[in-house]
Amino acid sequence: MRRYMVSHSWQVLKKELGLYQLILDIIMMIRVCKMFRQGLRGFREYQIIENPHRRHPVFSFWDKKKQGRITFDTMDFVAESGYFPLKAIEIAQKKPSWRTDQEIQILCNTLQVIGSYRNYSHSLQLLLAKVMRFERFGRRRVIIKKGQRSSSFYFIYLGRVAVTEDEDGSSAFLDPHPLLLHKGDCFGEVSLLSSSVRKATVVCMEETEFLVVDKEDFIANKLEQELKKNANHQFEFFRKMDLFQSWSDEKVWELVILGKKEKFSYGQLISKDFVNLSSIVFICKGSCEVLRLIDLGASPSYYKWIWQHLELVYDRPMKTRFKEPSPVERFKKFQIKSYPVQDFSALKLQHLQKAWEQQGTSFSRKINTSENSLPKTLGPKIESRRPHTIKCPMINTKHGELPKEAAVGAYMKIHTVEEGEIIGLHQILLPDSEQDRRPLILMSLGTEVIRMRKEKFCELIDSEVAEKLSKFKIEYPSDEDMCQKFLMENSWNIFRKDLVHLLVKSRQIPPFTPIRHKKKGVYNPNSLTLNLCSFNKKTKPHYPIFMAPQKCLPPLRVVQAITAPRYKIQELLPQYKNAGVLI
Ligand SMILES: Nc1ncnc2c1ncn2[C@@H]1O[C@@H]2COP(=O)(O)O[C@H]2[C@H]1O
């Protein structure tokens, strides 16, 4: 009876009040909402990450040609120090078909900082911007596992990843010099192009942001054609190299697959220690410089030089007058005391050597600044008396005490590597005991390089290539030689400056001339000079270093020049009593 009544009243509610329809509508609504939440994740996140305050200006102007307003919204580029901008995240999280042309253009603009993306044609960049997704992963996250089937291709927006041979990527955290890919690089293209399994494992070394292109989009947008073009260029480059003349095309292709092309701008650091790097570098375009950071405090010549000069400062001999010595004597004394301890005529020899080096082919070039090619030094003419009167903090070096301030380092350029040359191979066949493991810096002068793992390359080489490599020998000068060269050039520069000051009166800046800021040289964004006359004066710890991240900077204070106390140059050239005689 009761059951009958319930079903009866339900019938009434269902028919007369439309409750049945209401329930159906609610179920339908719930389903739609569920679909909406699942399918439109981008939309949901849009709500979450929307910035309530718009403090950033929007610039716009009317474009007559296009008959439309062109807008530059600074909000589009707002990001938390280096992270991918929020606006771009919103776009990259939307489904490709939901992205408007304007949004695709915004994404494309934001991605210009990624070198490997910028290399593509504009139309291809737009195609990529239409389909890319955004991902952020933490340290130790494996992005690609060796041996697995490929499904995506990655561009790095922020952070670093390591390419390893093991499956879980753990070796990257044990290897002191893992093969790293940074912001602007891309990876995962090899297996997409060759439709094979992944050649290596890629693991995050820190929190890393990626723009990901999935395989279906990759193929649909004919991206593989563009990448094949790149691979063909690399093939042509290796094919032309004398080193691989005897190799078949198939073998050269193996080399192409091992390599990874990278671009570096002028002044950019390629490697802070390529000698101990596990990869080799082929220069395909432009050139690079090999630099060595020398610790001047460790050099006996520098030690002697510093004390000779400090003696001059503290004995105040600059005020003493010469008692009419003979011109020859005067010149010698002048050289020793004023422009420290060497014969400037030897500089000519150095310049000749430089010219000779430029003529030779660098593949077989031998760089050796041996003892006898160095300028003849006139010291030790002044006996160092180690002035006890000097009151400043001292540090102990191999040769004795040295004022702390004088314990500095300097970058020395030792080699320029040109297109077609290889870095990291010159010691490859030498036994460990004979190898020179001093760290050397590789800096770009605007270059494109192909990097590959050393051991992979060694697996490929045959006896013929090994024989060619055995002739490929470069000996870099010793630190002591470089230190002497530094001191010599330093003295030469001081002398030249003084001479110019003596002969040419400094030009007065005419009124109303706009001050032109000096263009920053590649080595001296913040040039630093050690002044022996003003020890203990506080100076900012600047490093004359090329575009290197802070953590790459040495613990040593680096200087570009050292100014030392010296006699007035008029002592050498008494006929020029007043400055500006040539004007
Ligand atoms: N020697 C290498 N240098 C730089 N990247 C590499 C090197 N070897 C492999 N990779 C990258 O690591 C990726 C692993 O997956 P893929 O084989 O698809 O594509 C590979 C390359 O993009």
Side-chain angles (χ1 to χ4, degrees):
M1 178 70 182
R2 191 182 154 81
R3 209 172 145 199
Y4 169 74
M5 277 185 65
V6 170
S7 74
H8 175 75
S9 54
W10 169 243
Q11 290 298 326
V12 173
L13 280 171
K14 189 175 150 186
K15 278 190 186 149
E16 288 173 18
L17 299 175
L19 193 62
Y20 180 68
Q21 190 54 46
L22 181 70
I23 290 168
L24 280 185
D25 286 349
I26 290 172
I27 292 171
M28 184 64 78
M29 287 268 286
I30 290 171
R31 279 191 190 155
V32 168
C33 284
K34 206 171 164 189
M35 275 166 62
F36 196 68
R37 283 168 67 89
Q38 278 175 353
L40 308 174
R41 253 185 78 222
F43 187 78
R44 183 160 53 106
E45 284 191 22
Y46 176 81
Q47 300 292 339
I48 295 165
I49 56 182
E50 189 181 26
N51 252 13
H53 306 295
R54 197 170 248 281
R55 268 175 285 122
H56 301 270
V58 178
F59 304 100
S60 71
F61 66 93
W62 184 259
D63 187 349
K64 275 187 196 159
K65 252 191 198 168
K66 291 189 177 165
Q67 279 298 301
R69 185 158 285 280
I70 291 184
T71 313
F72 175 74
D73 187 346
T74 48
M75 270 304 282
D76 294 348
F77 296 89
V78 169
E80 198 186 318
S81 63
Y83 286 94
F84 201 50
L86 289 176
K87 173 85 184 196
I89 296 180
E90 290 165 21
I91 300 168
Q93 283 176 334
K94 285 185 184 179
K95 274 187 174 178
S97 53
W98 279 55
R99 299 179 196 179
T100 64
D101 287 350
Q102 199 194 354
E103 285 173 334
I104 292 170
Q105 188 59 58
I106 289 172
L107 203 54
C108 183
N109 293 346
T110 316
L111 292 172
Q112 292 307 307
V113 287
I114 301 181
S116 51
Y117 176 83
R118 210 176 46 232
N119 284 345
Y120 295 131
S121 65
H122 184 62
S123 54
L124 201 63
Q125 284 182 20
L126 290 175
L127 278 176
L128 280 166
K130 187 168 176 163
V131 297
M132 273 171 161
R133 335 183 245 114
F134 172 77
E135 295 278 9
R136 185 184 290 150
F137 296 120
R139 181 175 156 88
R140 287 191 179 268
R141 167 74 185 250
V142 174
I143 308 296
I144 283 180
K145 214 169 189 181
K146 186 177 175 179
Q148 283 194 341
R149 288 169 65 83
S150 53
S151 61
S152 307
F153 168 42
Y154 299 80
F155 290 91
I156 306 174
Y157 186 82
L158 180 79
R160 287 176 311 158
V161 296
V163 181
T164 69
E165 286 298 309
D166 57 353
E167 275 188 20
D168 63 355
S170 55
S171 63
F173 301 94
L174 303 171
D175 186 349
H177 300 284
L179 177 57
L180 295 176
L181 301 177
H182 306 85
K183 175 173 184 155
D185 293 333
C186 61
F187 59 89
E189 76 289 6
V190 176
S191 54
L192 282 193
L193 278 176
S194 55
S195 307
S196 59
V197 291
R198 296 292 196 188
K199 295 276 176 304
T201 295
V202 180
V203 62
C204 294
M205 298 300 283
E206 57 199 34
E207 188 181 27
T208 311
E209 291 185 343
F210 301 101
L211 276 308
V212 189
V213 182
D214 292 322
K215 190 172 181 175
E216 312 82 64
D217 298 319
F218 184 84
I219 293 164
N221 290 297
K222 299 198 170 84
L223 267 169
E224 81 277 17
Q225 283 178 11
E226 199 62 32
L227 290 174
K228 269 184 185 148
K229 236 193 261 169
N230 253 351
N232 281 338
H233 281 148
Q234 287 186 39
F235 175 81
E236 292 301 323
F237 169 75
F238 287 130
R239 191 64 289 177
K240 272 193 229 148
M241 284 185 75
D242 177 50
L243 194 62
F244 310 118
Q245 277 296 297
S246 58
W247 284 14
S248 65
D249 283 359
E250 286 74 34
K251 201 154 180 189
V252 175
W253 272 113
E254 281 181 52
L255 205 60
V256 172
I257 289 171
L258 285 184
K260 182 98 192 141
K261 204 166 185 181
E262 289 168 57
K263 259 187 185 178
F264 293 92
S265 47
Y266 183 76
Q268 208 178 344
L269 183 70
I270 300 177
S271 166
K272 64 172 176 168
D273 177 10
F274 71 81
V275 176
N276 298 302
L277 206 65
S278 52
S279 50
I280 53 170
V281 179
F282 293 82
I283 312 292
C284 2
K285 241 189 210 172
S287 58
C288 314
E289 268 182 2
V290 174
L291 307 173
R292 166 102 180 114
L293 174 64
I294 49 166
D295 178 1
L296 293 172
S299 151
S301 329
Y302 178 73
Y303 176 80
K304 205 162 75 187
W305 190 90
I306 285 288
W307 279 115
Q308 282 170 352
H309 285 84
L310 287 177
E311 200 172 67
L312 285 178
V313 182
Y314 287 89
D315 287 357
R316 293 269 159 227
M318 291 161 90
K319 286 183 184 145
T320 58
R321 287 268 154 238
F322 287 100
K323 279 183 240 141
E324 284 306 312
S326 72
V328 176
E329 249 176 52
R330 192 169 57 212
F331 180 68
K332 270 195 177 168
K333 220 167 182 182
F334 169 84
Q335 264 191 325
I336 296 163
K337 289 197 173 173
S338 307
Y339 296 95
V341 292
Q342 73 271 319
D343 175 0
F344 290 118
S345 62
L347 275 170
K348 193 173 164 190
L349 201 129
Q350 287 273 320
H351 289 294
L352 275 178
Q353 192 185 344
K354 229 185 245 172
W356 171 79
E357 270 177 17
Q358 272 163 12
Q359 276 170 16
T361 55
S362 48
F363 192 73
S364 55
R365 190 190 304 167
K366 189 174 171 190
I367 296 149
N368 193 3
T369 320
S370 63
E371 292 278 301
N372 47 15
S373 68
L374 271 174
K376 193 170 62 185
T377 57
L378 299 174
K381 291 263 166 112
I382 303 174
E383 270 304 308
S384 273
R385 279 188 280 117
R386 307 281 175 278
H388 301 296
T389 44
I390 297 179
K391 284 191 196 101
C392 60
M394 297 279 176
I395 58 155
N396 272 322
T397 70
K398 265 196 279 178
H399 319 286
E401 275 195 333
L402 200 67
K404 201 174 163 203
E405 290 239 13
V408 291
Y411 288 106
M412 293 295 292
K413 175 187 147 182
I414 49 179
H415 188 22
T416 305
V417 199
E418 306 287 351
E419 192 175 316
E421 291 184 57
I422 314 166
I423 294 172
L425 272 186
H426 65 286
Q427 303 192 69
I428 207 161
L429 299 171
L430 287 182
D432 276 359
S433 58
E434 285 174 36
Q435 289 186 8
D436 177 2
R437 312 293 316 172
R438 286 176 300 157
L440 294 174
I441 299 160
L442 189 63
M443 191 203 58
S444 159
L445 296 177
T447 188
E448 262 180 49
V449 304
I450 300 175
R451 244 192 243 249
M452 71 178 66
R453 281 193 89 84
K454 214 180 261 180
E455 82 265 11
K456 287 273 164 199
F457 177 76
C458 288
E459 280 168 22
L460 268 189
I461 56 176
D462 50 24
S463 56
E464 209 165 314
V465 170
E467 201 191 314
K468 281 181 188 169
L469 284 176
S470 64
K471 291 179 200 147
F472 173 28
K473 203 174 153 212
I474 299 178
E475 274 173 42
Y476 292 113
S478 72
D479 283 4
E480 183 53 25
D481 286 351
M482 279 188 266
C483 181
Q484 287 186 21
K485 194 170 176 224
F486 173 83
L487 290 177
M488 188 189 67
E489 289 201 345
N490 187 64
S491 305
W492 169 250
N493 285 335
I494 296 176
F495 172 72
R496 205 179 46 189
K497 231 185 206 167
D498 284 353
L499 195 64
V500 170
H501 274 267
L502 173 69
L503 301 180
V504 186
K505 215 176 190 174
S506 63
R507 212 157 52 96
Q508 302 234 313
I509 301 168
F512 312 121
T513 309
I515 298 166
R516 260 190 247 145
H517 291 285
K518 266 192 187 166
K519 210 179 152 207
K520 280 177 182 170
V522 65
Y523 299 117
N524 60 340
N526 298 304
S527 94
L528 193 96
T529 305
L530 173 68
N531 189 351
L532 294 190
C533 307
S534 57
F535 263 14
N536 295 331
K537 276 190 189 161
K538 279 203 170 158
T539 41
K540 276 190 192 165
H542 281 157
Y543 298 92
I545 180 131
F546 27 83
M547 286 181 245
Q550 191 68 29
K551 55 189 162 201
C552 290
L553 295 179
L556 217 56
R557 185 174 150 219
V558 177
V559 296
Q560 276 199 299
I562 304 175
T563 53
R566 53 199 181 273
Y567 284 93
K568 282 196 169 148
I569 200 165
Q570 278 95 332
E571 304 285 359
L572 176 68
L573 306 162
Q575 63 271 42
Y576 301 119
K577 283 218 172 67
N578 302 314
V581 283
L582 290 189
I583 286 214

